[in-house]
Amino acid sequence: MSILNCICLFTVSLILFFLGGWIIPITDPTEAVYTLTAKEMLAADDWLSPRIYGNFWYDKPVMFYWELLVAYKIFGVGEFASRFFPAVFATLGLFITYFFGTKIYNQKIGFAAALMLATSLEYWYLAHAVITDMTLLVMFSITLISFYLGYSAGNSRIYLISFAAAGVSVLTKGPIGFLLPGLIILIFLMWQGDLKHLLKLFRVKNFLVFFVIAALWYLPMTFIHGAAFFENFFGVHNFLRATVSEYPKTDVWYYYALICAIGFFPWSIALIPAAIKKFFRRVELFIEEGRLPVLDMHEKFLIVWALTVVIFFQLCATKYVTYTLPAMIPAAIFVARYFANRWKNFLCVVASALIIFPLMLYFVALPLAEDNSARREAKIILPLLNDKICVVSYGKEYSGSLVFYTGEKIYRLETKENFDKIRPQKMSWTSKNVMPFMLFDELPADKKVLAVVNADFEKSFLDNAQGNWKLVGTVQQGELEDLAEKFFYGREHRELKTKIFLRD
């Protein structure tokens, strides 16, 4: 690989992934869950058992929490530390793409694929997001790439790397980190007519490496937490996620086709019509010659990798924007051949992205993140807090970021009718509601109460809460300072996001 190309990719990573990571607040609900869990693990000096709101928490395995804990130890608890390792793994993803593209094609295609990946909307977004997906992408890709390199070179020793990476994938996301790469390898070998190769792949030493790595966390968690760990981790967060949609509105047949088109922007603008044109050209060849064009082994592997990921998650009940991220590396390499032959236009798009994405970070991502975070609310209530004040939150959803920024125990205030609907129950999505609850008739009479209320729920709050409540602060939608406020919103009147009340 060219040193100049490597320096270029590292520079692109600094501009697109690391720049501004310290200004974007921790958002609700997902980022706040990860960061608050790591913060509580750090406070408890427990690097094994994830915990949140004082409860053990079995949502995800430990790998990403370890990354956050290391970053918090080095940089301190904050936004930059939280976003550091996602940016690091996004950078590693570029170099993996460059390496693999160079190995199976050439440096130009590998370099083009890496640049395409860096300047794709979904990849850029997830390089800043405090979630597990960038870590999974890297380990998932190493699993498949090391298998393919070992297979194509006839070197079964490389499979040890594949199984080791699969072990880390399972520590990152759960059983899917082993089962989905395994499915991709199985389908590829079937297409190759080489299923007997599974005997070389499934050897005791390979599985031993995998199980030793996975057991670093799963074994002690099983001994310590027993049935509670199995029921919540494997039952709710794996089986239930695959069979019962957490967000039914997204469970539509075209979901990931749309996500892939948007996520690959701006490259999908040229790619979609090019793919349609190529498809019809192949149909013409079939009619003329009576046969389909022959795919080489590289193309087969890239196609199986990308399509299996997309189709698998399309068939799952719960759908997230991030799930199909592992399909982006093979897709980028596959289509880089098209753009590598249009080099000047390609570089113009890359140069434009290097300007546009940092601007989007400040003028788009930052305002949106502020509106999905309670960082501004925390600044208002922190000076008011003391041990004689009870803090409650009322509205659309509970804000973990408010707890992250204040360090306070904050009760989720509910009516009795609604609490009966959302209270934690076994083998249900409500089992995720482990935050402290308080009903309106349980508001303490002997303490001051500070209520952080979603503006849309103000009337409901005042109708149900007894006593005299004084408005002590408000937060507006898109309330930013200086340049971003003027340019992004450009208006004096904004809708209220939050109202903060105090009852003496």
Side-chain angles (χ1 to χ4, degrees), residues 16-17 94 113-127 134 137 254-272 310 320-329 331-332 335 339 349 353 357 360:
L16 294 183
F17 306 153
L94 298 191
L115 288 176
M116 282 179 60
L117 201 63
T119 52
S120 295
L121 182 62
E122 182 178 359
Y123 198 86
W124 171 79
Y125 156 62
L126 291 175
M134 272 301 171
L137 168 76
Y254 55 84
Y255 182 78
Y256 284 118
L258 186 62
I259 292 300
C260 289
I262 296 172
F264 230 87
F265 179 86
W267 305 105
S268 54
I269 294 175
L271 178 61
I272 292 173
V310 174
Y320 286 108
V321 171
T322 63
Y323 277 179
T324 52
L325 178 66
M328 292 194 75
I329 285 181
V335 303
F339 291 108
V349 176
F357 278 131
M360 285 178 59

Side-chain angles (χ1 to χ4, degrees), residues 11 44 80 178 195 203 221-222 254-255 258 269 359 433 436 449 463:
T11 304
F80 177 76
F178 178 80
L195 282 177
R203 289 180 173 170
M221 285 293 288
T222 301
Y254 55 84
Y255 182 78
L258 186 62
I269 294 175
L359 292 175
N433 296 332
V449 179
D463 287 344

